[in-house]
Amino acid sequence: MNHDVWQSVLGEIELSVPHATFITWFKNTELVESTSDSVTIAVPNIFAKRQFEVKFDGQIRSFLAKNGVEATAVNYVVQTTAKKATINRETTSTRAEQLLEGASRPATRKTSVTVNESGLNKRYTFDSFVVGSSNDLAYAACQAVATNPGTKYNPLFLYGGVGLGKTHLMQAIGNEILSKDPDAKILYINTETFVKDYIESMRFKKNNFSNKYRDVDVLIVDDMQFIAGKEKTQEEFFHTFNALHQSNKQIIISSDKPPKSIPTLTERLRSRFEWGMPIDIQMPDFETRCAILEIKASMSGVELSRDTVEYLASNIKTNIRELEGTLNQLLAYSEMRGITPDITTAEGLIGNVRHSRPQHLTSKQIIDKTAKHFQIDVSEVKSAKRDKYIVVPRQIAMYLLRSELHLSFPKIAQELGRKDHTTAIHSVDKIEKAIKLDFLIREQVASIRDALYA
């Protein structure tokens, strides 16, 4: 009875929330107990528990009532198949070495990686991917491709910085297709492999190169930016692309930048990469970073306290790989010393190394670095000129003064020689929105930040 009621509730929730939200929070839940005055719902981890208590409780109560369940109290409990960690000093050394070995790459409990003949890593699935506002569009598009390969979003082009989940999503598509059709021919490679195979085919007169890449149902190519400058390889990939596309075979590509920003990429390849669906994957927001930490820690059989999770998520903002690597270091350090991983331990490991911003950072440095990045004079940034080549750098400088130094809007206006602080408010708001939508602006802001913190 509980199962049927909860399935009805989930069905209505799925229609009322974004698909990515449903997959992330609601899919792996269960109604485990229902009495005359209380309901108990199992969720997969502590972070999900807090989300339900704070954000989704009203929706849950409403849909339960619609399905005839009136409950005075709704309780959320963590129910996971992962065993909780217990410190065993005899096995601590081996476990710690495994964690440290994986500290610089995505966390996994396995010491070996299962890779099938297609080049796919079986642990990269949609279920193990954490969806947030930074990647929900990419997630939805990848699921659409996995459902109808070759007919929707072809080619699918994912771009964004390192460690943001591009490889995970692309391989998840391949694994999902194989789970439905084991006979599907799928090939996952990186661009370096394609270049190497092409060179060998030319050097040793091999005839099976074209068959390898064109006799597939789905071709997945990682790190396409490395094809830049290789004219003959680009020409061969152009013909491979055309052969697959005309046969309605799915093509999935990733890069660290959009097609138009890949240097020395031929125009005919660039236009084809933009045919289907180019999607930008951004850096994970705070909530997504927290969810990733909760889930990865749970996979290792550890429950982290809320303040520990939030401390790590607040201090590691770059990419998922670094986030998971830091988590691995914390768990390894704690196991080696037979202690519980907490915020004090986390602060001791990274607090003296990773600061949110250097203490010596000044307004002058931000303005100088911004002007230098755009190759204009500081006097122009502070002038009243409204030429576009000056306005955008000025707006970015205002945004950085706000985000890095937390200056008030009147103070920002004063630093840039403006009389009206509403200009600063408008500029900061405009850049905040542009960072979410414009890859070039986001890249420019990131480059200036790197220069400031170098």
Side-chain angles (χ1 to χ4, degrees), residues 179-198:
S179 70
K180 298 175 180 177
D181 181 9
D183 295 327
K185 295 181 180 179
I186 299 175
L187 179 62
Y188 166 83
I189 59 159
N190 55 40
T191 304
E192 181 182 0
T193 300
F194 185 88
V195 173
K196 180 182 176 182
D197 286 351
Y198 175 66

Side-chain angles (χ1 to χ4, degrees), residues 331-398:
L331 298 183
Y333 181 90
S334 299
E335 287 201 15
M336 283 190 294
R337 285 157 179 77
I339 60 177
T340 301
D342 56 19
I343 188 170
T344 302
T345 310
E347 288 174 341
L349 281 176
I350 67 175
N352 294 327
V353 179
R354 302 188 62 85
H355 297 287
S356 60
R357 61 182 176 88
Q359 296 297 316
H360 62 273
L361 194 61
T362 65
S363 300
K364 183 177 185 304
Q365 287 175 313
I366 289 177
I367 297 171
D368 288 349
K369 292 292 185 182
T370 303
K372 183 177 180 180
H373 177 84
F374 288 98
Q375 299 181 341
I376 59 178
D377 293 332
V378 173
S379 59
E380 290 185 292
V381 178
K382 293 184 175 183
S383 71
K385 293 181 179 179
R386 300 191 59 82
D387 301 87
K388 186 175 181 179
Y389 79 95
I390 295 175
V391 170
V392 173
R394 184 186 297 137
Q395 291 174 336
I396 289 177
M398 289 182 174

Side-chain angles (χ1 to χ4, degrees), residues 312-342:
L312 292 173
S314 297
N315 284 273
I316 310 296
K317 302 179 181 180
T318 50
N319 62 65
I320 299 168
R321 289 175 190 162
E322 185 177 0
L323 191 69
E324 293 185 21
T326 303
L327 174 64
N328 282 340
Q329 292 177 21
L330 174 63
L331 298 183
Y333 181 90
S334 299
E335 287 201 15
M336 283 190 294
R337 285 157 179 77
I339 60 177
T340 301
D342 56 19

Side-chain angles (χ1 to χ4, degrees), residues 190-413:
N190 55 40
T191 304
E192 181 182 0
T193 300
F194 185 88
V195 173
K196 180 182 176 182
D197 286 351
Y198 175 66
I199 292 175
E200 287 186 354
S201 71
M202 297 294 291
R203 181 180 177 185
F204 300 108
K205 308 298 181 183
K206 294 182 178 180
N207 298 320
N208 63 343
F209 175 82
S210 295
N211 292 336
K212 176 181 177 180
Y213 289 101
R214 300 182 191 182
D215 188 24
V216 296
D217 298 310
V218 181
L219 178 62
I220 307 173
V221 185
D222 215 345
D223 295 324
M224 183 54 71
Q225 69 270 14
F226 293 122
I227 204 173
K230 301 175 176 64
E231 295 181 5
K232 292 294 184 181
T233 305
Q234 288 189 40
E235 182 177 351
E236 180 59 34
F237 190 80
F238 169 78
H239 294 305
T240 298
F241 182 103
N242 281 348
L244 291 172
H245 198 273
Q246 289 172 8
S247 300
N248 294 321
K249 305 301 184 182
Q250 182 66 49
I251 304 164
I252 306 167
I253 300 169
S254 82
S255 172
D256 64 355
K257 50 177 68 69
K260 63 182 179 182
S261 298
I262 299 178
T264 67
L265 185 66
T266 61
E267 185 58 37
R268 59 183 183 178
L269 264 185
R270 180 178 290 110
S271 65
R272 279 161 176 76
F273 290 167
E274 294 175 341
W275 257 355
M277 184 71 164
I279 300 179
D280 178 13
I281 300 181
Q282 303 173 23
M283 290 189 292
D285 55 24
F286 176 76
E287 289 78 10
T288 305
R289 296 196 299 274
C290 286
I292 290 169
L293 288 167
E294 292 275 3
I295 292 171
K296 296 300 179 181
S298 177
M299 289 170 62
S300 294
V302 177
E303 285 188 9
L304 295 177
S305 63
R306 180 175 183 177
D307 54 357
T308 304
V309 170
E310 292 186 351
Y311 176 80
L312 292 173
S314 297
N315 284 273
I316 310 296
K317 302 179 181 180
T318 50
N319 62 65
I320 299 168
R321 289 175 190 162
E322 185 177 0
L323 191 69
E324 293 185 21
T326 303
L327 174 64
N328 282 340
Q329 292 177 21
L330 174 63
L331 298 183
Y333 181 90
S334 299
E335 287 201 15
M336 283 190 294
R337 285 157 179 77
I339 60 177
T340 301
D342 56 19
I343 188 170
T344 302
T345 310
E347 288 174 341
L349 281 176
I350 67 175
N352 294 327
V353 179
R354 302 188 62 85
H355 297 287
S356 60
R357 61 182 176 88
Q359 296 297 316
H360 62 273
L361 194 61
T362 65
S363 300
K364 183 177 185 304
Q365 287 175 313
I366 289 177
I367 297 171
D368 288 349
K369 292 292 185 182
T370 303
K372 183 177 180 180
H373 177 84
F374 288 98
Q375 299 181 341
I376 59 178
D377 293 332
V378 173
S379 59
E380 290 185 292
V381 178
K382 293 184 175 183
S383 71
K385 293 181 179 179
R386 300 191 59 82
D387 301 87
K388 186 175 181 179
Y389 79 95
I390 295 175
V391 170
V392 173
R394 184 186 297 137
Q395 291 174 336
I396 289 177
M398 289 182 174
Y399 169 80
L400 290 170
L401 288 172
R402 181 69 173 178
S403 64
E404 307 307 306
L405 296 183
H406 307 292
L407 297 185
S408 66
F409 289 114
K411 180 64 175 176
I412 293 173

Side-chain angles (χ1 to χ4, degrees), residues 71-98:
T72 305
V74 177
N75 305 309
Y76 303 97
V77 298
V78 176
Q79 179 174 291
T80 175
T81 56
K83 295 181 179 179
K84 304 307 175 187
T86 57
I87 302 300
N88 185 333
R89 294 182 183 275
E90 295 180 1
T91 60
T92 288
S93 177
T94 301
R95 170 72 176 131
E97 288 174 1
Q98 293 172 355

